[in-house]
Amino acid sequence: MNVTLHPLGEACVKITYHEEVSHSLTSRIQAFCRELASLNKEGITEWVPAYDSVTVYYEPWVLNYDEITDILEDITAVATEASEKKVVITVPTLYGGEHGPDLEDLAKEKGMSQDDIIKLHTNEDYLINMIGFLPGFPYLSGLNERIAAPRLESPRQKVPAGSVGIAEAQTGVYPIESPGGWNIIGQTPLRLFQPEKDDPFLLNQGDYLRFQPVSKKEFNQILEQLEQGSYEVQREEVSR
Amino acid sequence: MKLFSVEKPGVYTTYQDLGRTGYLKYGVPASGALDRFALQVGNILVGNPWNTAGLEITMQGPELVAEVDAVISITGADLSPMINGERIQMWKSLTIKKGQVLEFGRPRIGVRAYLTVDGGFEAEEYMGSKSVYEPAGLGRKLEAGDELHGNPKKQKTGIGLFHTEIPAYDRDAIVRVVKGPHDDKLSPEVLEQFFTNRHEVSPQSNRMGYRLVSDGIKTDHEGDILSDAVPLGGIQLPANGEPIILLADRQTTGGYVRIGTVIGPDLPLIAQLPPGGSVRFKEITVEEAQEIAIAQERDFRVWEKIVR
């Protein structure tokens, strides 16, 4: 396996995998992070998986650069197997209308019906390559190129939390209200980031995300259940 | 116990400790004090664990009325701290008495001062840290009328750094950099200019990052890379040739070429630069960088022993 390590200052090291981004690579990076977590090594404080890299933060007064690179190289040699199972999280989404104000224009632009767009958008299980940009924001791959669309010419000042959007060849969900230029085609009642909870995050790197269209009535029901704490997020483990 | 009432909040005053650990992989910025040296020394001086939250005070300080006798210290930028109108010594623990007013005057040197208090402040904790990060709703800045609470333990006073141990903040900083990881995407001319130019601090600098304006860096690289984690002190070089040094509130990942990383022990020099100040970069090896960080950690431990 072709892997290189590079120091980022005195307390951080980047491991780069020199290969194309793929489901297999994301799964191996996930395996690397699992190994690193189970090692529970003093001096290693945290790590961030990305498309073709993992960045590891450490304390130089506990581990010097030679020591940390030895440890990490050993792990890359062990974590070579992609997992046979995948976790799929279902994200109920209300498409169009006030919850997806750009769906109508996008459909016109593409010469399709709104239902066609929804069908293409919900057809795929999207791989979460990494999490970043905003707390809990998933970088998803797998968008059907027929519904790829450039960013809005003038970004919105406020995109509500839960908004589902498309920008270029990517689709994503806004975890918190933020300014944004994505084409908003729907909204999920689920919260991807809840800082007050013990486990504030809905999604993990390496998991898959499935959008499921819901009606306005179902959307409101889920909101109500979420408030009462009775909603169970659909999270299933399936074979690849 | 009520420690202080906030008469005036100052321009941007927030609780900051050393930041949250373990949540970068979920896209949550680390946050924490921009001048980690000043916060840690401030905590050592009042007998706290180094990681205790203090108030990070930016340029124009707050006005606080003491509700009890408390041992405090002010470290970092010299923003003319005063008790009842009298200048007080910085980098030294001292007692503020019930009813006395702590306020700040004209900023003299640096941008960010730290108020630490014996026993620390009580404040809402999110994901193991009291560091305020407003964009994600993690706490908020100080407002007039706030009450600041804590649990003082009657620490001794009069403990301070030697004159020579106090950092010499300046409007012009030279900071040390470990090169990479994307320097191989840049031409030798761009690297040469980066390491020889004096770069000016733009007014668009904040806790997320310091933007620099630099004459004559003519980039010819593709500005974007496959997104990866951006470390504290990472220096992005977008295609416009204006470097950005990423700080505590940075987004966790990014897609710009990074020329290098400012070493942790030199980041306080960046954090204390005002707009219009300048910075130069000097390349060192990772081994040299680690020696500097280890030496600083050793200093903290020695000072802590002296205080206890």
Side-chain angles (χ1 to χ4, degrees):
Chain A
M1 190 167 17
N2 189 3
V3 169
T4 54
L5 284 83
H6 199 292
L8 310 180
E10 83 289 0
C12 204
V13 53
K14 179 181 175 183
I15 304 138
T16 307
Y17 292 74
H18 296 275
E19 58 181 287
E20 289 293 313
V21 178
S22 65
H23 288 226
S24 153
L25 178 58
T26 298
S27 180
R28 275 176 285 136
I29 287 175
Q30 198 181 15
F32 177 94
C33 293
R34 241 186 336 253
E35 287 291 327
L36 191 56
S38 66
L39 192 64
N40 198 17
K41 180 83 184 165
E42 197 204 338
I44 297 179
T45 52
E46 61 181 310
W47 49 89
V48 185
Y51 283 111
D52 64 348
S53 66
V54 185
T55 298
V56 178
Y57 293 73
Y58 66 102
E59 296 171 324
W61 42 89
V62 182
L63 297 168
N64 69 27
Y65 188 67
D66 283 343
E67 290 163 341
I68 185 84
T69 51
D70 281 351
I71 293 168
L72 298 178
E73 274 167 356
D74 285 351
I75 299 178
T76 59
V78 179
T80 53
E81 294 287 320
S83 150
E84 284 169 11
K85 300 265 181 173
K86 62 179 190 182
V87 173
V88 182
I89 293 140
T90 299
V91 173
T93 303
L94 173 55
Y95 285 92
E98 54 175 329
H99 297 268
D102 299 323
L103 180 63
E104 195 180 341
D105 283 352
L106 183 66
K108 273 187 201 143
E109 190 75 27
K110 298 287 177 190
M112 297 183 213
S113 71
Q114 295 190 27
D115 279 345
D116 289 340
I117 304 254
I118 296 168
K119 226 170 253 163
L120 289 172
H121 192 252
T122 52
N123 227 351
E124 295 289 332
D125 288 345
Y126 298 96
L127 172 61
I128 302 168
N129 290 111
M130 58 189 274
I131 304 233
F133 167 55
L134 293 171
F137 179 89
Y139 286 79
L140 302 174
S141 59
L143 183 71
N144 189 306
E145 60 188 33
R146 289 173 61 199
I147 54 173
R151 284 179 168 75
L152 300 177
E153 272 174 32
S154 54
R156 291 190 172 86
Q157 287 301 311
K158 278 184 183 177
V159 177
S163 292
V164 174
I166 290 176
E168 316 297 342
Q170 284 203 34
T171 185
V173 187
Y174 282 79
I176 55 176
E177 181 184 280
S178 105
W182 292 41
N183 302 273
I184 303 304
I185 60 169
Q187 190 182 20
T188 176
L190 301 190
R191 290 286 163 266
L192 277 62
F193 176 56
Q194 297 173 288
E196 65 284 357
K197 291 263 166 85
D198 282 343
D199 181 7
F201 308 97
L202 181 68
L203 306 172
N204 278 292
Q205 183 263 358
D207 292 348
Y208 287 74
L209 193 159
R210 179 180 296 166
F211 292 104
Q212 181 188 49
V214 295
S215 67
K216 175 92 187 174
K217 193 175 157 205
E218 289 167 313
F219 181 94
N220 286 332
Q221 273 169 356
I222 296 170
L223 266 188
E224 214 167 280
Q225 289 168 354
L226 282 167
E227 233 162 74
Q228 294 162 353
S230 62
Y231 185 80
E232 193 86 20
V233 174
Q234 214 179 311
R235 192 187 291 269
E236 48 182 331
E237 204 169 280
V238 297
S239 306
R240 275 170 199 279
Chain B
M1 185 187 294
K2 191 152 80 155
L3 297 182
F4 294 101
S5 302
V6 179
E7 287 291 315
K8 294 180 190 155
V11 78
Y12 192 75
T13 309
T14 56
Y15 289 119
Q16 298 292 340
D17 47 30
L18 293 182
R20 27 191 75 79
T21 304
Y23 297 94
L24 293 174
K25 64 167 89 53
Y26 294 109
V28 182
S31 300
L34 280 206
D35 184 339
R36 295 165 71 91
F37 180 87
L39 177 73
Q40 290 180 91
V41 169
N43 275 322
I44 290 170
L45 295 179
V46 299
N48 290 342
W50 310 353
N51 190 22
T52 307
L55 281 177
E56 182 176 276
I57 294 162
T58 317
M59 287 307 276
Q60 230 165 47
E63 188 180 317
L64 306 175
V65 180
E67 300 290 343
V68 287
D69 294 1
V71 174
I72 61 167
S73 90
I74 311 278
T75 56
D78 183 352
L79 308 178
S80 305
M82 293 171 280
I83 288 179
N84 281 4
E86 295 269 328
R87 271 292 317 233
I88 54 170
Q89 249 186 307
M90 294 184 55
W91 303 94
K92 192 172 182 178
S93 61
L94 47 94
T95 301
I96 183 166
K97 291 211 175 318
K98 184 177 174 179
Q100 287 187 325
V101 180
L102 173 66
E103 58 188 332
F104 295 80
R106 191 168 65 86
R108 298 174 77 86
I109 189 74
V111 175
R112 294 173 173 88
Y114 295 84
L115 166 64
T116 51
V117 61
D118 161 31
F121 291 104
E122 272 172 25
E124 188 83 43
E125 210 167 273
Y126 297 94
M127 289 166 270
S129 165
K130 291 174 180 164
S131 291
V132 170
Y133 177 65
E134 289 190 317
L138 311 181
R140 61 160 174 81
K141 65 180 182 188
L142 230 59
E143 286 172 9
D146 282 351
E147 292 177 355
L148 312 183
H149 292 255
N151 295 294
K153 298 187 302 271
K154 299 263 189 260
Q155 180 66 19
K156 52 191 173 185
T157 59
I159 298 151
L161 290 196
F162 284 122
H163 193 65
T164 50
E165 294 164 336
I166 296 172
Y169 302 126
D170 197 349
R171 291 178 55 84
D172 305 295
I174 299 174
V175 297
R176 291 161 290 190
V177 167
V178 178
K179 208 161 70 175
H182 307 123
D183 51 299
D184 56 349
K185 297 194 188 311
L186 302 167
S187 67
E189 292 75 29
V190 167
L191 286 170
E192 157 96 27
Q193 282 168 343
F194 176 79
F195 282 107
T196 50
N197 279 11
R198 224 170 63 102
H199 311 269
E200 194 181 305
V201 176
S202 145
Q204 270 104 46
S205 297
N206 52 34
R207 288 186 38 88
M208 279 180 73
Y210 263 53
R211 288 172 183 271
L212 306 177
V213 184
S214 188
D215 280 347
I217 296 194
K218 298 273 182 288
T219 60
D220 47 11
H221 64 282
E222 292 282 324
D224 298 345
I225 49 128
L226 208 50
S227 286
D228 68 349
V230 290
L232 186 62
I235 309 162
Q236 289 179 334
L237 190 66
N240 67 8
E242 296 182 351
I244 304 168
I245 306 171
L246 297 154
L247 300 178
D249 282 355
R250 71 196 182 282
Q251 289 181 350
T252 55
T253 56
Y256 289 117
V257 165
R258 286 194 314 277
I259 201 164
T261 309
V262 177
I263 67 167
D266 284 354
L267 283 175
L269 301 177
I270 300 288
Q272 300 293 1
L273 285 176
S278 79
V279 56
R280 274 180 214 264
F281 299 105
K282 179 175 179 284
E283 189 188 344
I284 61 169
T285 65
V286 62
E287 288 78 15
E288 289 168 323
Q290 296 200 320
E291 274 172 35
I292 297 162
I294 291 164
Q296 189 178 77
E297 187 78 4
R298 203 180 298 132
D299 283 346
F300 288 154
R301 287 183 191 169
V302 170
W303 292 331
E304 186 176 45
K305 276 209 185 109
I306 294 170
V307 172
R308 283 207 171 142

